[in-house]
Amino acid sequence: MATVSGYIEKIKYRNEENGYSVVSVSDGDEEYILVGMFPYISEGERIEAVGCMVEHPVYGGQLSVESYEMKPPEDTKAIERYLGSGAIKGVKDALAKRIVKRFKLDTFRIIEEEPERLSEIKGISERLAMSISAQVGEKRDMRQAMLFLQQYGISMNLAVKIYRQYGPQLYSIIQENPYRLADDIQGVGFKIADEIASRVGIFADSDYRMKSGLFYTLLQAVGNGHTYLPEGELFLEASRLLAAEPANMEKHLMDLQMEKKLVVKEQEGVRSVYPARFFYMELNAARMLHDLNVRGTVKEEHIRGRLNVLMDAGKLELDSLQEQAVIEAVNNGLLIITGGPGTGKTTTINTIIRYFEQEGMEILLAAPTGRAAKRMSEATGCEAKTIHRLLELTGAPVAENGRPGENSTGESRLEGMHFERNEQNPLDADVIIIDEVSMVDISLMYALLKAVNVGTRLILVGDVNQLPSVGPGNVLRDMIESAAFPVVRLTKIFRQAAQSDIIVNAHKINAGERVALDKRSADFLFIRRKNPADIVNDIMILVKDKLPGYVGALPSEIQIMTPMRKGVLGVEQLNRVLQARFNPPSPDKNEKESGGMTFREGDKVMQIKNNYQLEWEIQNSRGMAVDKGTGVFNGDTGILRKIDSFAETAEVEFDEGRIAEYSFRQLEELELAYAITIHKSQGSEYPAAVIPVHSGPRMLMTRNLIYTAVTRAKQCVCLVGAPEAFWAMVDNATEQKRYSGLKERILETKF
């Protein structure tokens, strides 16, 4: 065993999750390298560590620390060293020298007990004096908190969050009700809180545990797309989680209602349980939709006359339903246009845009994702933005306790972000057209509606037969099924579209009709393979060798889509195989392992959760930023351009040249995207799509899933697998039940 005492000169490496660090320590004569778990340390501090000296094959001698103690600085030079180390913001070497010269060995007592006296020193304002005192106190308190939380197996990252959330209250909260963590701290769910509670010794039948588990079950349902659960289903799921009887849940449900976390509504004889904020989102969205649904008085003959002029000038040919859509757009404050591929939605949107431009109106276009917005721009010749950019997503101060704010309607500011456009600052437009509305969840629709003035026309366009949004709710379907708003359904497949087997077969799939899989087609191919290994091999050949030249695209632009995450043809396994083939290890490519996945420069990656605060910029050819913004969203895909192991960052280039920098800790928000789930493909369009078709769970292998997959391909779709699996999907018209109450709220608020 050896003992090393000295000052921490530099923290060379630190794992923020578990506190494992590599630090250099100097005793004035010699420098030592210490490795071990340090819950909370800063450069400039004095440490006494005990451990074994070991010889690292690359880095040489190191002290593997078994125990250590932080020591107070023992002389004025040590105090000066600590204050000037950078550990205290606002204090550099010169200022540290002046402080110590004035107060000598009494410096720390002055900082903690009489901080106002620091302002006697030139260069220190009263505000800086208070900041120095607060920082010194916080570092002392933080270290004590880290040591306390470590005994309950709490990671470094989480310990810091807990300390910043609760401060000195954390001791009583952890020991009395650790389930508060699940409510108060981003990223902490019931399971983490439950583990901590079991270590603390909280009883399994405590009221805190039962309420937290019940609410957690409901939030898990939200994560699966529901805005509520029937009471019986909620109790059953919660009882499995808590190992408790469903009959004992009623009391805890009432307690959560009293705390205004839940709303219980009677719907068709069944009690439905909502997280409060989603109930109020649906309720207020329904009211705003009715407010926008104002009928105009322009005579149809006048509209047709203006429309005929447009059609003659642009040599346009519209069918009766498309004409009806234009007429309804002029005479309604709210209009829904729905239809499958090739039914003329784009032509209809373009005609509506030209009509309103002719009237001198201000028009805004938007779609839920960057890819969908780009497609809308290309199709219309007008600028289209993502809905988030349209609403001007920006940073927001959080509440005093560090949590995202929440108002009386249940609206939550997203992770410290908010939309600049809202009821106080609405969008300045006469007409707003939103495409791909099937992808819009209730949270985003609610935010959009708040920013639309009554009197502004809102036109919502989408294919109701596609998969519903990834987020909670079933907005487009609920609005249509309520029969409360004008809806135009485009059904005619136009002549040019009818020449595409992709479009023709998509409509056959949607209708449950037979598709000719043996037909020699230029754009719809079915390659029969039984063995999963053969399917994977054919996918490789298609993406690497056959399709790029056929559709004039790079292999990275051709998308493999699969119904499942697990299994030999699931996303996880396919990505491992495809990465090895398309982007193998190389001395020229940096890589980083994260979450059991290896990321390598050149990889195709996807963002898998909304990050409203991640900054991005678009650069010109000289590397200068020409545009900046915040927000990278679930489903955005890009190329991993750079991994910097020294700075512990990774750089990803997304669509439109948006470059975002990730810390290594944020890599958990990314996954490889050589293959993606069909759900993640929503709103996107690819030059070619390759879809493995094999057996899978019936509840997953559905008609609208294969319909959505096929409609993502622009020039060619290749299905590889077993025909019987394909037919099973086409015949399976059942859809996974999604509990949403917008339709009911619309009908309740109609009059």
Side-chain angles (χ1 to χ4, degrees):
M1 300 294 286
T3 300
V4 170
S5 296
Y7 297 92
I8 298 172
E9 295 283 353
K10 187 170 184 60
I11 299 174
K12 293 177 174 289
Y13 169 79
R14 184 165 183 78
N15 183 323
E16 295 295 344
E17 187 63 30
N18 58 23
Y20 177 82
S21 305
V22 179
V23 301
S24 64
V25 172
S26 172
D27 64 2
D29 298 318
E30 199 169 340
E31 184 176 301
Y32 302 90
I33 299 298
L34 277 58
V35 296
M37 300 292 186
F38 301 93
Y40 193 77
I41 55 172
S42 298
E43 291 175 358
E45 292 187 305
R46 184 165 167 253
I47 188 172
E48 183 177 288
V50 178
C52 294
M53 292 302 298
V54 296
E55 190 71 21
H56 191 280
V58 176
Y59 302 111
Q62 299 177 341
L63 182 74
S64 179
V65 176
E66 295 190 9
S67 64
Y68 72 94
E69 187 178 350
M70 303 310 298
K71 298 284 189 178
E74 57 189 4
D75 53 33
T76 55
K77 187 175 181 180
I79 297 171
E80 187 180 301
R81 179 200 293 260
Y82 174 69
L83 292 177
S85 68
I88 307 299
K89 290 180 182 176
V91 180
K92 300 283 177 65
D93 286 339
L95 189 53
K97 285 178 181 176
R98 293 203 296 273
I99 294 171
V100 177
K101 184 178 179 181
R102 179 66 172 269
F103 299 115
K104 300 182 175 56
L105 290 173
D106 207 25
T107 296
F108 277 115
R109 189 195 65 78
I110 294 293
I111 289 173
E112 294 181 17
E113 298 177 12
E114 302 177 72
E116 66 280 357
R117 289 188 57 190
L118 292 174
S119 60
E120 298 170 9
I121 297 168
K122 185 179 179 182
I124 299 182
S125 64
E126 193 170 316
R127 183 175 179 180
L128 179 55
M130 294 301 115
S131 172
I132 293 169
S133 178
Q135 288 182 67
V136 170
E138 182 180 32
K139 287 180 181 298
R140 181 194 62 237
D141 296 343
M142 178 85 84
R143 181 174 293 108
Q144 292 173 352
M146 297 298 106
L147 293 170
F148 170 77
L149 295 171
Q150 194 179 39
Q151 67 184 310
Y152 298 117
I154 296 172
S155 71
M156 281 290 301
N157 268 349
L158 180 53
V160 171
K161 287 182 181 179
I162 293 171
Y163 176 79
R164 288 182 178 156
Q165 175 76 22
Y166 301 121
Q169 286 184 296
L170 72 87
Y171 301 98
S172 59
I173 288 169
I174 291 295
Q175 291 175 328
E176 294 172 15
N177 179 19
Y179 294 100
R180 275 188 59 182
L181 273 62
D183 293 342
D184 297 344
I185 299 177
Q186 183 85 20
V188 177
F190 170 80
K191 291 183 179 178
I192 292 174
D194 204 31
E195 285 177 16
I196 295 168
S198 67
R199 292 189 184 109
V200 171
I202 304 287
F203 291 120
D205 62 351
S206 81
D207 287 352
Y208 292 136
R209 181 173 186 269
M210 302 300 282
K211 286 192 297 181
S212 182
L214 198 59
F215 193 59
Y216 170 80
T217 302
L218 199 55
L219 294 183
Q220 287 294 102
V222 169
N224 290 325
H226 308 294
T227 59
Y228 74 88
L229 279 182
E231 184 183 71
E233 195 168 320
L234 171 63
F235 286 176
L236 185 62
E237 290 296 321
S239 69
R240 290 173 181 153
L241 175 73
L242 295 163
E245 288 297 321
N248 298 332
M249 300 284 174
E250 183 68 37
K251 168 189 178 299
H252 306 294
L253 185 71
M254 292 180 63
D255 289 343
L256 288 166
Q257 284 180 263
M258 296 288 287
E259 294 170 16
K260 297 188 176 178
K261 288 185 176 181
L262 303 181
V263 171
V264 180
K265 286 284 291 185
E266 186 95 15
Q267 289 179 200
E268 298 177 356
V270 177
R271 280 161 55 91
S272 302
V273 185
Y274 292 79
R277 79 183 185 95
F278 286 100
F279 174 80
Y280 289 112
M281 274 186 188
E282 289 188 337
L283 179 64
N284 290 323
R287 288 172 175 164
M288 289 185 285
L289 287 167
H290 284 303
D291 289 343
L292 291 172
N293 189 27
V294 179
R295 182 70 186 173
T297 56
V298 183
K299 291 185 177 179
E300 187 172 318
E301 297 78 23
H302 173 77
I303 300 172
R304 287 190 181 277
R306 303 300 297 268
L307 182 55
N308 288 333
V309 171
L310 270 179
M311 290 168 65
D312 291 341
K315 296 182 180 179
L316 294 171
E317 184 180 329
L318 303 183
D319 74 355
S320 59
L321 288 172
Q322 290 176 306
E323 289 184 16
Q324 189 62 33
V326 178
I327 293 166
E328 295 293 334
V330 174
N331 257 338
N332 285 285
L334 177 65
L335 173 65
I336 300 167
I337 301 173
T338 186
T343 56
K345 294 194 297 295
T346 298
T347 301
T348 305
I349 292 172
N350 279 330
T351 307
I352 290 170
I353 291 170
R354 306 298 170 245
Y355 187 100
F356 286 126
E357 283 179 338
Q358 186 179 252
E359 301 293 308
M361 293 186 175
E362 183 73 24
I363 305 163
L364 294 175
L365 309 180
T369 66
R371 278 182 176 269
K374 185 178 180 181
R375 284 173 54 203
M376 195 179 190
S377 294
E378 292 168 350
T380 62
C382 303
E383 182 189 16
K385 300 179 179 179
T386 64
I387 298 174
H388 290 87
R389 290 193 75 186
L390 181 74
L391 299 179
E392 298 174 20
L393 182 72
T394 188
V398 294
E400 288 182 10
N401 62 359
R403 294 170 58 195
E406 190 171 286
N407 64 25
S408 58
T409 66
E411 176 200 0
S412 177
R413 288 181 293 172
L414 304 168
E415 298 177 29
M417 307 298 286
H418 76 288
F419 293 114
E420 287 287 341
R421 295 292 184 170
N422 50 38
E423 59 269 56
Q424 278 82 43
N425 182 28
L427 292 164
D428 186 15
D430 301 301
V431 182
I432 299 171
I433 304 175
I434 308 294
D435 198 10
E436 296 283 2
V437 178
S438 64
M439 295 180 65
V440 177
D441 63 22
I442 186 60
S443 303
L444 192 55
M445 179 57 74
Y446 174 60
L448 173 67
L449 292 172
K450 288 202 305 170
V452 180
N453 262 332
V454 174
T456 297
R457 290 173 176 83
L458 179 62
I459 300 168
L460 305 175
V461 185
D463 184 349
V464 75
N465 292 308
Q466 286 190 24
L467 293 167
S469 59
V470 174
N474 211 348
V475 173
L476 182 61
R477 186 178 294 275
D478 279 356
M479 289 176 64
I480 292 173
E481 290 185 354
S482 73
F485 311 115
V487 178
V488 176
R489 292 177 172 85
L490 303 178
T491 55
K492 178 183 175 182
I493 303 177
F494 283 83
R495 186 169 55 252
Q496 186 176 353
Q499 296 170 3
S500 165
D501 285 331
I502 293 175
I503 290 173
V504 170
N505 289 339
H507 283 275
K508 286 183 176 180
I509 289 168
N510 191 44
E513 297 173 2
R514 297 290 93 174
V515 173
L517 299 183
D518 295 324
K519 178 183 175 183
R520 293 180 63 85
S521 170
D523 62 0
F524 189 98
L525 310 175
F526 196 102
I527 300 171
R528 296 168 184 261
R529 294 289 183 270
K530 293 281 188 183
N531 189 310
D534 293 336
I535 294 174
V536 172
N537 189 57
D538 276 13
I539 287 172
M540 297 277 199
I541 295 170
L542 285 165
V543 175
K544 190 170 185 180
D545 302 323
K546 301 292 186 183
L547 288 174
Y550 186 65
V551 298
L554 296 171
S556 62
E557 296 174 310
I558 296 165
Q559 190 59 62
I560 300 162
M561 295 179 288
T562 180
M564 298 167 289
R565 290 199 59 83
K566 303 293 184 182
V568 68
L569 294 174
V571 163
E572 295 173 6
Q573 178 62 20
L574 280 175
N575 273 319
R576 281 191 284 270
V577 174
L578 293 163
Q579 182 192 43
R581 173 68 67 90
F582 294 122
N583 192 28
S586 165
D588 300 328
K589 294 178 180 178
N590 293 326
E591 55 184 54
K592 169 65 179 174
E593 193 277 333
S594 176
M597 192 180 305
T598 299
F599 291 101
R600 188 173 298 129
E601 288 175 344
D603 276 337
K604 185 176 181 180
V605 295
M606 172 180 280
Q607 178 80 8
I608 57 171
K609 61 177 285 190
N610 289 337
N611 186 328
Y612 301 94
Q613 294 174 311
L614 189 62
E615 296 178 352
W616 55 261
E617 64 180 31
I618 297 174
Q619 300 175 351
N620 62 19
S621 58
R622 291 176 295 171
M624 304 286 289
V626 295
D627 193 10
K628 293 184 177 182
T630 57
V632 179
F633 304 105
N634 191 350
D636 286 356
T637 57
I639 302 296
L640 182 51
R641 296 296 185 196
K642 182 180 177 183
I643 294 174
D644 188 332
S645 298
F646 180 77
E648 296 192 348
T649 59
E651 204 171 83
V652 179
E653 182 177 346
F654 290 100
D655 295 327
E656 303 171 324
R658 294 175 300 137
I659 297 172
E661 185 177 270
Y662 290 74
S663 69
F664 280 177
R665 280 189 293 168
Q666 291 174 307
L667 289 178
E668 65 184 18
E669 298 180 12
L670 294 173
E671 68 180 18
L672 297 175
Y674 297 98
I676 64 174
T677 62
I678 294 168
H679 281 85
K680 292 287 189 183
S681 73
Q682 287 175 266
S684 297
E685 186 177 71
Y686 309 101
V690 181
I691 307 163
V693 182
H694 204 258
S695 58
R698 177 176 167 76
M699 63 180 291
L700 187 63
M701 311 293 279
T702 61
R703 179 185 297 173
N704 68 341
L705 190 80
I706 193 65
Y707 170 78
T708 298
V710 167
T711 56
R712 299 306 89 205
K714 187 176 182 180
Q715 295 168 252
C716 184
V717 61
C718 295
L719 298 106
V720 187
E724 56 269 25
F726 174 79
W727 293 125
M729 293 182 79
V730 174
D731 292 340
N732 185 9
T734 60
E735 294 181 31
Q736 194 169 353
K737 175 65 178 174
R738 178 170 283 211
Y739 296 113
S740 63
L742 181 60
K743 175 183 173 182
E744 283 71 24
R745 303 292 84 75
I746 289 170
L747 296 174
E748 285 175 0
T749 55
K750 188 171 182 179
F751 302 107

